[in-house]
Amino acid sequence: MHYVELQQPKHITSLATSAVLVSVDVNVWSATKQDRGISSEVTKLKRADSNAGRFVKNLLANNIYHKDLVNYRQTIYNWLKRSTYRWNVSQDLLPTINLEKFKSEYDEHQTEFYRLLDDFCDRYDTIKSNMAFSQGDMYNADDYPDVSEVRSKFACNLYVSEVPEQDFRCQVAQDLANDLKLQYQKQAEEIVKNVLHQQTERITNVMESIAHCCGTQEITKDGKTTTKKRKIYDSTIEKAKELCETIRNFQLTDSEHSTRLRSVANQLDDTLQGVDSEKLRVSDSTRERVKNDVEDILSKFQF
């Protein structure tokens, strides 16, 4: 039987040297509990089988301090999605050029998460007592853990790991080696394709936003029509500049798509040189030039 060496595609080596894998786990206490007694009462009242339904109590009745804490988990996940590219179900791809900024922003989110947790825990005993009124006859003090146990149910952790770079040297039969190599290459190519797609979508969206904000709108009030400049936000311009830098320095492939994407990033970066939101607000000529340049780039940037 003939054996061959299974090699990894070059895309993975590129990813391994220019990016890391990150995951953020945010754990929260749902503050819910199934009540079998009430479930039994309801099913009997409705003349249903005892397994036909169940009653779940919301122990904190949407208390604002708990709700803010739970909602902040989604805020963190939304930020993570904006800051990275999808790798698999549990990890995301982060360009190393953005690692310092990403870590700084994560630290801010983690600090805010634990501040909200402190606020909630400081009030927990009072909240628990108030639930005796909110829950009525459903209230059961045994449903509520003590505050130290509650605190342990919340956590916010960042995990960083390297993109796998091993050669995957295996002694396998020829047919199996070919199948594995083909599958491995296909997965790598799909990841690269997905990153390019997300970069294209993000830079297109930010250019459309800049072009829109640099325009004007007509407002009719009391029968009179006036022309008003649209608002331009600092975050939009900064996001555009950061995205240009990422695309220029995070080069995964030399494909035509990637080359055109870097060209667009360079053109947009040139257009925004020396430009900030304040200058766009006060200078009509700068505003008009940026709008025209961005629309010109967009008109040529088609895939």
Side-chain angles (χ1 to χ4, degrees):
M1 184 178 289
H2 182 59
Y3 292 93
V4 297
E5 227 176 45
L6 179 62
Q7 301 292 334
Q8 60 180 338
K10 63 180 181 181
H11 286 315
I12 290 297
T13 301
S14 174
L15 289 173
T17 57
S18 61
V20 294
L21 298 179
V22 297
S23 62
V24 177
D25 290 344
V26 184
N27 301 323
V28 299
W29 177 42
S30 66
T32 58
K33 185 176 180 66
Q34 181 181 356
D35 192 307
R36 298 183 183 278
I38 297 177
S39 299
S40 178
E41 289 178 21
V42 172
T43 53
K44 285 180 181 179
L45 182 64
K46 296 298 182 179
R47 291 178 294 184
D49 185 276
S50 59
N51 294 315
R54 64 177 185 172
F55 186 87
V56 178
K57 294 192 291 190
N58 184 349
L59 298 178
L60 298 178
N62 288 330
N63 173 265
I64 187 63
Y65 292 99
H66 179 259
K67 192 173 182 179
D68 286 348
L69 187 53
V70 172
N71 287 344
Y72 199 72
R73 171 177 59 179
Q74 191 60 49
T75 298
I76 293 176
Y77 286 152
N78 290 342
W79 159 78
L80 180 65
K81 184 177 180 180
R82 292 193 306 270
S83 304
T84 59
Y85 303 96
R86 201 63 174 148
W87 177 262
N88 57 35
V89 294
S90 60
Q91 294 175 301
D92 296 293
L93 190 70
L94 174 69
T96 51
I97 187 176
N98 293 341
L99 183 57
E100 184 176 353
K101 177 176 181 291
F102 178 88
K103 182 58 169 63
S104 175
E105 292 176 352
Y106 168 77
D107 288 343
E108 292 176 6
H109 282 301
Q110 186 187 53
T111 298
E112 177 62 10
F113 178 82
Y114 283 110
R115 184 193 69 77
L116 291 171
L117 178 58
D118 287 340
D119 284 350
F120 171 64
C121 289
D122 288 345
R123 295 168 172 81
Y124 177 69
D125 287 336
T126 300
I127 295 170
K128 184 169 63 172
S129 298
N130 291 338
M131 287 303 109
F133 300 99
S134 300
Q135 298 283 350
D137 292 341
M138 296 191 303
Y139 180 76
N140 182 352
D142 293 337
D143 289 339
Y144 297 84
D146 63 39
V147 67
S148 61
E149 183 178 346
V150 167
R151 183 180 288 274
S152 70
K153 295 178 182 292
F154 294 85
C156 179
N157 294 300
L158 168 66
Y159 301 94
V160 181
S161 60
E162 296 179 348
V163 176
E165 194 178 6
Q166 62 270 26
D167 284 341
F168 279 31
R169 298 178 184 276
C170 307
Q171 284 191 329
V172 293
Q174 178 72 50
D175 290 345
L176 179 58
N178 289 339
D179 288 344
L180 288 175
K181 184 177 179 181
L182 181 62
Q183 181 181 3
Y184 192 52
Q185 287 173 328
K186 184 177 180 181
Q187 289 175 351
E189 288 165 1
E190 283 299 316
I191 289 169
V192 172
K193 182 180 178 181
N194 184 48
V195 170
L196 288 174
H197 173 75
Q198 291 182 64
Q199 288 181 332
T200 300
E201 187 176 69
R202 291 177 187 183
I203 199 168
T204 299
N205 289 341
V206 80
M207 285 194 293
E208 289 175 345
S209 179
I210 291 173
H212 176 77
C213 292
C214 284
T216 58
Q217 59 183 339
E218 291 187 349
I219 299 176
T220 302
K221 186 176 182 181
D222 298 330
K224 296 181 179 180
T225 301
T226 57
T227 300
K228 184 180 179 182
K229 296 177 183 178
R230 292 194 178 99
K231 281 188 176 181
I232 296 177
Y233 299 94
D234 296 342
S235 57
T236 302
I237 304 303
E238 289 305 312
K239 180 180 178 180
K241 292 180 178 180
E242 290 174 1
L243 190 54
C244 288
E245 183 179 3
T246 298
I247 291 173
R248 289 202 315 271
N249 291 280
F250 189 47
Q251 301 179 14
L252 302 181
T253 175
D254 57 0
S255 67
E256 180 185 356
H257 187 153
S258 182
T259 301
R260 289 177 64 190
L261 187 60
R262 289 196 295 273
S263 175
V264 167
N266 287 330
Q267 292 176 59
L268 180 59
D269 189 57
D270 290 342
T271 296
L272 297 179
Q273 284 296 319
V275 174
D276 56 26
S277 57
E278 181 62 25
K279 192 166 186 178
L280 290 172
R281 292 188 190 104
V282 300
S283 173
D284 289 345
S285 61
T286 301
R287 191 184 186 103
E288 185 67 19
R289 177 187 65 80
V290 169
K291 182 177 185 296
N292 291 337
D293 287 354
V294 170
E295 288 179 341
D296 184 60
I297 297 171
L298 275 169
S299 68
K300 299 172 183 175
F301 185 45
Q302 299 293 331
F303 284 96

